[in-house]
Amino acid sequence: MGFGQFPAMVCPWLENGSLTSYLERQHDALKPVERLLLISNVAEGLQYLHSQSVVHGDLSGSNVLIDADGRACISDFGLSMLLTQLGGSTYATSRLAEGTLRWTAPELLDLQVSEDEENPLHVNPTPQSDVYSFGSIMLQILTGKVPYYYYIREVQVLYAISKDITPKRPSLALVTDSQWTFVQRCWMTIGSRPRDDEIVEFARQEVGMGLGTL
């Protein structure tokens, strides 16, 4: 406290930086089981947040951080929704400004225009939108590339999302059929996405199979 009008959050320094930069640096060095452990870390972190009634709302490769032991930790949870409520801006606007569009659930980018100019549309994140973003995180960890990496401009990504076009299927060498099927489940309509416990269980099973092949 004492830093201004609002409390300040102080977080531990994580030596390996963001997930995106970590994957870029370690892309050729990471073993398959190490990638699966990262996925499991994120799954368990997300389950914990939701169990505490906290919606992350901004899960992306920039706010999953990697510690000195190569363990993934979720950061910045709930900040986007808090800022949206305080500022009165639409959630989509805050997301686009922060460059996290590639991980964003389509329902948060409500492209419909409100007919009531005095009451514009406001879209808030949910646990289900976090699950959608988790699917994109999972894809990024397995492939080492951000979602829609073949689109250079954000407007291309936005157009794809508006047309319900999800990221392309990676090669089988990077993502197995079962992993791809699960990622696609995370991208389904809101009511069809897996629950937190299903995500954690799937991740643990994948780690178990990965350890069994060593």
Side-chain angles (χ1 to χ4, degrees):
M1 302 297 292
F3 292 93
Q5 184 178 1
F6 300 106
M9 292 183 66
V10 180
C11 303
W13 175 261
L14 298 190
E15 291 79 357
N16 281 309
S18 72
L19 174 66
T20 297
S21 61
Y22 180 71
L23 292 174
E24 289 174 351
R25 295 194 310 271
Q26 301 292 327
H27 180 61
D28 296 327
L30 283 176
K31 299 175 183 178
V33 69
E34 291 175 322
R35 295 180 186 273
L36 295 174
L37 284 169
L38 290 173
I39 292 171
S40 184
N41 294 157
V42 179
E44 292 174 357
L46 198 60
Q47 182 188 47
Y48 175 75
L49 288 180
H50 290 171
S51 73
Q52 302 300 307
S53 300
V54 175
V55 176
H56 187 287
D58 197 27
L59 189 63
S60 72
S62 297
N63 49 39
V64 172
L65 305 179
I66 313 299
D67 69 12
D69 297 323
R71 180 171 177 265
C73 304
I74 297 175
S75 67
D76 294 345
F77 42 86
L79 291 183
S80 288
M81 187 164 62
L82 174 62
L83 292 173
T84 299
Q85 291 172 344
L86 290 176
S89 60
T90 63
Y91 187 73
T93 301
S94 66
R95 289 300 291 258
L96 289 171
E98 294 168 6
T100 56
L101 175 63
R102 295 171 186 268
W103 294 264
T104 303
E107 65 268 16
L108 298 184
L109 300 172
D110 196 333
L111 302 177
Q112 298 179 4
V113 178
S114 175
E115 296 180 358
D116 186 351
E117 295 181 356
E118 295 183 358
N119 295 290
L121 293 170
H122 290 271
V123 184
N124 288 323
T126 65
Q128 291 74 34
S129 62
D130 280 350
V131 169
Y132 182 100
S133 299
F134 172 82
S136 298
I137 288 287
M138 184 174 168
L139 177 68
Q140 180 181 6
I141 292 174
L142 292 172
T143 63
K145 298 178 180 179
V146 298
Y148 300 105
Y149 68 91
Y150 39 84
Y151 292 146
I152 298 176
R153 295 182 297 161
E154 295 288 272
V155 68
Q156 295 173 302
V157 178
L158 183 60
Y159 178 80
I161 295 174
S162 70
K163 297 297 183 181
D164 295 324
I165 300 173
T166 55
K168 297 177 182 178
R169 167 72 160 97
S171 69
L172 190 61
L174 296 175
V175 182
T176 66
D177 287 338
S178 63
Q179 290 167 350
W180 180 242
T181 298
F182 194 83
V183 167
Q184 287 183 303
R185 282 190 61 199
C186 294
W187 294 338
M188 294 177 72
T189 55
I190 296 175
S192 302
R193 294 171 192 166
R195 303 184 309 272
D196 294 335
D197 59 326
E198 293 180 89
I199 292 174
V200 170
E201 181 60 27
F202 180 82
R204 287 175 177 170
Q205 289 179 355
E206 289 293 304
V207 169
M209 288 189 291
L211 291 172
T213 59
L214 292 179

